[in-house]
Short mmCIF file of all heavy atoms in Angstrom, two decimals:
data_model
loop_
_atom_site.label_atom_id
_atom_site.label_comp_id
_atom_site.label_asym_id
_atom_site.label_seq_id
_atom_site.Cartn_x
_atom_site.Cartn_y
_atom_site.Cartn_z
N SER T 1 -5.38 -17.79 18.65
CA SER T 1 -5.99 -18.47 17.50
C SER T 1 -5.20 -18.22 16.22
O SER T 1 -4.53 -17.19 16.07
CB SER T 1 -7.44 -18.02 17.31
OG SER T 1 -7.47 -16.70 16.84
N VAL T 2 -5.28 -19.14 15.33
CA VAL T 2 -4.59 -19.04 14.05
C VAL T 2 -5.16 -17.86 13.25
O VAL T 2 -4.40 -17.16 12.56
CB VAL T 2 -4.74 -20.37 13.27
CG1 VAL T 2 -4.15 -20.25 11.89
CG2 VAL T 2 -4.08 -21.49 14.03
N ILE T 3 -6.45 -17.63 13.37
CA ILE T 3 -7.07 -16.51 12.63
C ILE T 3 -6.47 -15.17 13.09
O ILE T 3 -6.20 -14.31 12.26
CB ILE T 3 -8.59 -16.53 12.83
CG1 ILE T 3 -9.18 -17.79 12.20
CG2 ILE T 3 -9.23 -15.28 12.27
CD1 ILE T 3 -10.63 -18.00 12.50
N ALA T 4 -6.23 -15.02 14.39
CA ALA T 4 -5.64 -13.79 14.89
C ALA T 4 -4.22 -13.60 14.36
O ALA T 4 -3.82 -12.49 13.99
CB ALA T 4 -5.64 -13.78 16.41
N ILE T 5 -3.46 -14.66 14.33
CA ILE T 5 -2.08 -14.58 13.81
C ILE T 5 -2.08 -14.24 12.33
O ILE T 5 -1.30 -13.39 11.89
CB ILE T 5 -1.34 -15.91 14.08
CG1 ILE T 5 -1.14 -16.09 15.58
CG2 ILE T 5 -0.01 -15.94 13.35
CD1 ILE T 5 -0.59 -17.44 15.96
N VAL T 6 -2.96 -14.84 11.57
CA VAL T 6 -3.04 -14.54 10.14
C VAL T 6 -3.48 -13.10 9.91
O VAL T 6 -2.91 -12.39 9.06
CB VAL T 6 -4.00 -15.54 9.44
CG1 VAL T 6 -4.30 -15.10 8.02
CG2 VAL T 6 -3.42 -16.93 9.45
N ALA T 7 -4.46 -12.63 10.69
CA ALA T 7 -4.93 -11.25 10.55
C ALA T 7 -3.81 -10.26 10.86
O ALA T 7 -3.61 -9.28 10.14
CB ALA T 7 -6.13 -11.00 11.45
N LEU T 8 -3.06 -10.50 11.94
CA LEU T 8 -1.95 -9.61 12.28
C LEU T 8 -0.85 -9.66 11.23
O LEU T 8 -0.21 -8.64 10.94
CB LEU T 8 -1.40 -9.97 13.65
CG LEU T 8 -2.28 -9.57 14.83
CD1 LEU T 8 -1.71 -10.12 16.13
CD2 LEU T 8 -2.44 -8.07 14.90
N ALA T 9 -0.59 -10.82 10.67
CA ALA T 9 0.42 -10.94 9.62
C ALA T 9 0.02 -10.14 8.38
O ALA T 9 0.85 -9.47 7.75
CB ALA T 9 0.64 -12.40 9.26
N ILE T 10 -1.27 -10.19 8.03
CA ILE T 10 -1.76 -9.43 6.89
C ILE T 10 -1.62 -7.93 7.13
O ILE T 10 -1.17 -7.17 6.26
CB ILE T 10 -3.21 -9.82 6.55
CG1 ILE T 10 -3.24 -11.23 5.97
CG2 ILE T 10 -3.84 -8.83 5.57
CD1 ILE T 10 -4.62 -11.82 5.83
N VAL T 11 -1.98 -7.48 8.34
CA VAL T 11 -1.85 -6.06 8.68
C VAL T 11 -0.38 -5.65 8.64
O VAL T 11 -0.04 -4.56 8.14
CB VAL T 11 -2.46 -5.79 10.07
CG1 VAL T 11 -2.10 -4.41 10.57
CG2 VAL T 11 -3.96 -5.96 10.02
N PHE T 12 0.52 -6.49 9.15
CA PHE T 12 1.94 -6.19 9.14
C PHE T 12 2.47 -6.06 7.72
O PHE T 12 3.19 -5.11 7.40
CB PHE T 12 2.72 -7.27 9.90
CG PHE T 12 4.20 -7.08 9.83
CD1 PHE T 12 4.83 -6.11 10.59
CD2 PHE T 12 4.97 -7.86 8.98
CE1 PHE T 12 6.20 -5.94 10.52
CE2 PHE T 12 6.33 -7.70 8.90
CZ PHE T 12 6.95 -6.73 9.69
N VAL T 13 2.14 -7.01 6.87
CA VAL T 13 2.64 -6.98 5.48
C VAL T 13 2.07 -5.77 4.74
O VAL T 13 2.80 -5.10 4.00
CB VAL T 13 2.30 -8.31 4.77
CG1 VAL T 13 2.55 -8.21 3.28
CG2 VAL T 13 3.10 -9.44 5.37
N ALA T 14 0.80 -5.47 4.94
CA ALA T 14 0.20 -4.29 4.29
C ALA T 14 0.89 -3.02 4.77
O ALA T 14 1.21 -2.13 3.98
CB ALA T 14 -1.29 -4.25 4.56
N GLY T 15 1.13 -2.91 6.07
CA GLY T 15 1.82 -1.73 6.61
C GLY T 15 3.24 -1.62 6.11
O GLY T 15 3.72 -0.52 5.79
N LEU T 16 3.92 -2.73 6.02
CA LEU T 16 5.28 -2.73 5.50
C LEU T 16 5.31 -2.28 4.04
O LEU T 16 6.17 -1.49 3.65
CB LEU T 16 5.90 -4.13 5.61
CG LEU T 16 7.34 -4.28 5.17
CD1 LEU T 16 8.26 -3.52 6.11
CD2 LEU T 16 7.72 -5.75 5.16
N PHE T 17 4.35 -2.72 3.25
CA PHE T 17 4.27 -2.29 1.86
C PHE T 17 4.02 -0.79 1.77
O PHE T 17 4.67 -0.08 1.01
CB PHE T 17 3.18 -3.05 1.11
CG PHE T 17 2.97 -2.53 -0.29
CD1 PHE T 17 3.87 -2.85 -1.28
CD2 PHE T 17 1.92 -1.70 -0.58
CE1 PHE T 17 3.71 -2.36 -2.57
CE2 PHE T 17 1.73 -1.21 -1.86
CZ PHE T 17 2.63 -1.53 -2.86
N VAL T 18 3.06 -0.31 2.56
CA VAL T 18 2.69 1.11 2.50
C VAL T 18 3.87 1.98 2.90
O VAL T 18 4.21 2.95 2.23
CB VAL T 18 1.46 1.40 3.39
CG1 VAL T 18 1.27 2.89 3.57
CG2 VAL T 18 0.23 0.78 2.79
N VAL T 19 4.53 1.65 4.00
CA VAL T 19 5.64 2.47 4.48
C VAL T 19 6.89 2.29 3.64
O VAL T 19 7.58 3.26 3.31
CB VAL T 19 5.95 2.15 5.96
CG1 VAL T 19 7.21 2.86 6.42
CG2 VAL T 19 4.78 2.55 6.83
N GLY T 20 7.20 1.08 3.25
CA GLY T 20 8.49 0.82 2.63
C GLY T 20 8.55 0.81 1.13
O GLY T 20 9.58 1.18 0.56
N PHE T 21 7.47 0.42 0.48
CA PHE T 21 7.61 0.17 -0.95
C PHE T 21 6.62 0.91 -1.84
O PHE T 21 6.79 0.90 -3.05
CB PHE T 21 7.48 -1.34 -1.22
CG PHE T 21 8.54 -2.13 -0.51
CD1 PHE T 21 8.22 -2.87 0.61
CD2 PHE T 21 9.85 -2.12 -0.93
CE1 PHE T 21 9.18 -3.60 1.28
CE2 PHE T 21 10.82 -2.84 -0.28
CZ PHE T 21 10.48 -3.58 0.84
N ASP T 22 5.57 1.49 -1.27
CA ASP T 22 4.57 2.12 -2.12
C ASP T 22 5.14 3.34 -2.82
O ASP T 22 5.72 4.22 -2.18
CB ASP T 22 3.35 2.54 -1.31
CG ASP T 22 2.29 3.15 -2.20
OD1 ASP T 22 1.82 2.44 -3.10
OD2 ASP T 22 1.96 4.33 -2.00
N GLN T 23 5.03 3.38 -4.10
CA GLN T 23 5.46 4.53 -4.92
C GLN T 23 4.29 5.02 -5.78
O GLN T 23 4.48 5.37 -6.93
CB GLN T 23 6.64 4.13 -5.81
CG GLN T 23 7.88 3.75 -5.05
CD GLN T 23 8.56 4.96 -4.40
OE1 GLN T 23 8.43 6.08 -4.87
NE2 GLN T 23 9.24 4.71 -3.32
N GLY T 24 3.11 5.00 -5.20
CA GLY T 24 1.93 5.43 -5.93
C GLY T 24 1.03 4.30 -6.35
O GLY T 24 -0.01 4.52 -6.98
N HIS T 25 1.39 3.07 -6.01
CA HIS T 25 0.62 1.92 -6.48
C HIS T 25 -0.77 1.87 -5.89
O HIS T 25 -1.73 1.52 -6.58
CB HIS T 25 1.37 0.63 -6.12
CG HIS T 25 2.68 0.52 -6.78
ND1 HIS T 25 3.83 0.93 -6.17
CD2 HIS T 25 3.04 0.08 -8.00
CE1 HIS T 25 4.85 0.73 -6.98
NE2 HIS T 25 4.41 0.23 -8.11
N ILE T 26 -0.93 2.21 -4.62
CA ILE T 26 -2.23 2.11 -3.98
C ILE T 26 -3.20 3.13 -4.56
O ILE T 26 -4.32 2.79 -4.96
CB ILE T 26 -2.10 2.29 -2.46
CG1 ILE T 26 -1.33 1.09 -1.89
CG2 ILE T 26 -3.48 2.41 -1.80
CD1 ILE T 26 -1.02 1.21 -0.43
N PHE T 27 -2.81 4.38 -4.63
CA PHE T 27 -3.69 5.41 -5.16
C PHE T 27 -3.82 5.37 -6.68
O PHE T 27 -4.68 6.04 -7.24
CB PHE T 27 -3.27 6.80 -4.71
CG PHE T 27 -3.67 7.12 -3.29
CD1 PHE T 27 -2.87 7.92 -2.50
CD2 PHE T 27 -4.84 6.63 -2.75
CE1 PHE T 27 -3.24 8.23 -1.21
CE2 PHE T 27 -5.22 6.91 -1.46
CZ PHE T 27 -4.41 7.73 -0.68
N SER T 28 -2.97 4.62 -7.35
CA SER T 28 -3.09 4.54 -8.81
C SER T 28 -4.39 3.86 -9.22
O SER T 28 -4.87 4.07 -10.34
CB SER T 28 -1.91 3.81 -9.41
OG SER T 28 -1.96 2.43 -9.08
N LEU T 29 -4.96 3.07 -8.32
CA LEU T 29 -6.26 2.46 -8.62
C LEU T 29 -7.36 3.51 -8.76
O LEU T 29 -8.31 3.32 -9.50
CB LEU T 29 -6.64 1.47 -7.51
CG LEU T 29 -5.66 0.33 -7.29
CD1 LEU T 29 -6.04 -0.46 -6.04
CD2 LEU T 29 -5.62 -0.57 -8.51
N VAL T 30 -7.20 4.63 -8.07
CA VAL T 30 -8.21 5.70 -8.09
C VAL T 30 -7.77 6.85 -9.00
O VAL T 30 -8.53 7.31 -9.83
CB VAL T 30 -8.45 6.24 -6.66
CG1 VAL T 30 -9.45 7.38 -6.68
CG2 VAL T 30 -8.91 5.12 -5.75
N TYR T 31 -6.51 7.30 -8.85
CA TYR T 31 -6.04 8.48 -9.56
C TYR T 31 -5.32 8.18 -10.88
O TYR T 31 -4.97 9.11 -11.60
CB TYR T 31 -5.10 9.29 -8.66
CG TYR T 31 -5.80 9.89 -7.48
CD1 TYR T 31 -5.50 9.48 -6.19
CD2 TYR T 31 -6.76 10.87 -7.64
CE1 TYR T 31 -6.14 10.02 -5.10
CE2 TYR T 31 -7.40 11.43 -6.56
CZ TYR T 31 -7.09 11.00 -5.27
OH TYR T 31 -7.73 11.54 -4.20
N GLY T 32 -5.03 6.96 -11.15
CA GLY T 32 -4.35 6.60 -12.38
C GLY T 32 -2.88 7.00 -12.36
O GLY T 32 -2.21 6.91 -11.33
N GLU T 33 -2.38 7.43 -13.49
CA GLU T 33 -0.96 7.76 -13.64
C GLU T 33 -0.53 8.94 -12.77
O GLU T 33 0.63 9.08 -12.42
CB GLU T 33 -0.63 8.06 -15.10
CG GLU T 33 -0.70 6.83 -15.99
CD GLU T 33 0.34 5.80 -15.61
OE1 GLU T 33 1.49 6.16 -15.28
OE2 GLU T 33 -0.01 4.60 -15.62
N GLU T 34 -1.46 9.81 -12.41
CA GLU T 34 -1.12 10.98 -11.59
C GLU T 34 -0.57 10.55 -10.22
O GLU T 34 0.28 11.23 -9.64
CB GLU T 34 -2.37 11.85 -11.38
CG GLU T 34 -2.10 13.06 -10.54
CD GLU T 34 -3.37 13.85 -10.28
OE1 GLU T 34 -4.36 13.70 -11.01
OE2 GLU T 34 -3.36 14.64 -9.33
N ALA T 35 -1.03 9.42 -9.70
CA ALA T 35 -0.57 8.95 -8.40
C ALA T 35 0.91 8.63 -8.40
O ALA T 35 1.59 8.80 -7.40
CB ALA T 35 -1.38 7.72 -7.98
N PHE T 36 1.44 8.17 -9.53
CA PHE T 36 2.87 7.87 -9.62
C PHE T 36 3.71 9.15 -9.65
O PHE T 36 4.88 9.13 -9.29
CB PHE T 36 3.16 7.02 -10.85
CG PHE T 36 2.57 5.63 -10.77
CD1 PHE T 36 1.51 5.28 -11.58
CD2 PHE T 36 3.08 4.70 -9.89
CE1 PHE T 36 0.96 4.02 -11.51
CE2 PHE T 36 2.54 3.43 -9.81
CZ PHE T 36 1.48 3.08 -10.62
N LYS T 37 3.11 10.25 -10.07
CA LYS T 37 3.83 11.53 -10.07
C LYS T 37 3.76 12.21 -8.71
O LYS T 37 4.72 12.81 -8.26
CB LYS T 37 3.24 12.45 -11.13
CG LYS T 37 3.39 11.95 -12.53
CD LYS T 37 2.69 12.85 -13.51
CE LYS T 37 2.58 12.20 -14.86
NZ LYS T 37 1.68 12.91 -15.76
N GLU T 38 2.59 12.16 -8.06
CA GLU T 38 2.38 12.88 -6.81
C GLU T 38 2.92 12.14 -5.58
O GLU T 38 3.33 12.78 -4.63
CB GLU T 38 0.89 13.17 -6.62
CG GLU T 38 0.31 14.06 -7.69
CD GLU T 38 0.93 15.43 -7.71
OE1 GLU T 38 1.29 15.96 -6.63
OE2 GLU T 38 1.05 15.99 -8.81
N LEU T 39 2.90 10.81 -5.58
CA LEU T 39 3.41 10.00 -4.48
C LEU T 39 2.85 10.41 -3.12
O LEU T 39 3.57 10.73 -2.18
CB LEU T 39 4.95 10.05 -4.44
CG LEU T 39 5.67 9.57 -5.68
CD1 LEU T 39 7.16 9.81 -5.55
CD2 LEU T 39 5.40 8.11 -5.93
N TYR T 40 1.53 10.39 -2.99
CA TYR T 40 0.85 10.86 -1.78
C TYR T 40 1.33 10.11 -0.54
O TYR T 40 1.72 10.73 0.45
CB TYR T 40 -0.66 10.70 -1.92
CG TYR T 40 -1.26 11.50 -3.04
CD1 TYR T 40 -1.85 10.86 -4.13
CD2 TYR T 40 -1.25 12.88 -3.02
CE1 TYR T 40 -2.41 11.59 -5.17
CE2 TYR T 40 -1.79 13.62 -4.04
CZ TYR T 40 -2.38 12.98 -5.11
OH TYR T 40 -2.91 13.70 -6.13
#
């Protein structure tokens, strides 16, 4: 189904962002500027 393909594509892109490009952006929503320093 198209819904399954779209769901897997979203999971893939989110995982790629987390592994490859996140430099504190995700946790900055909760921790603010500290997340950019700690890079959890």
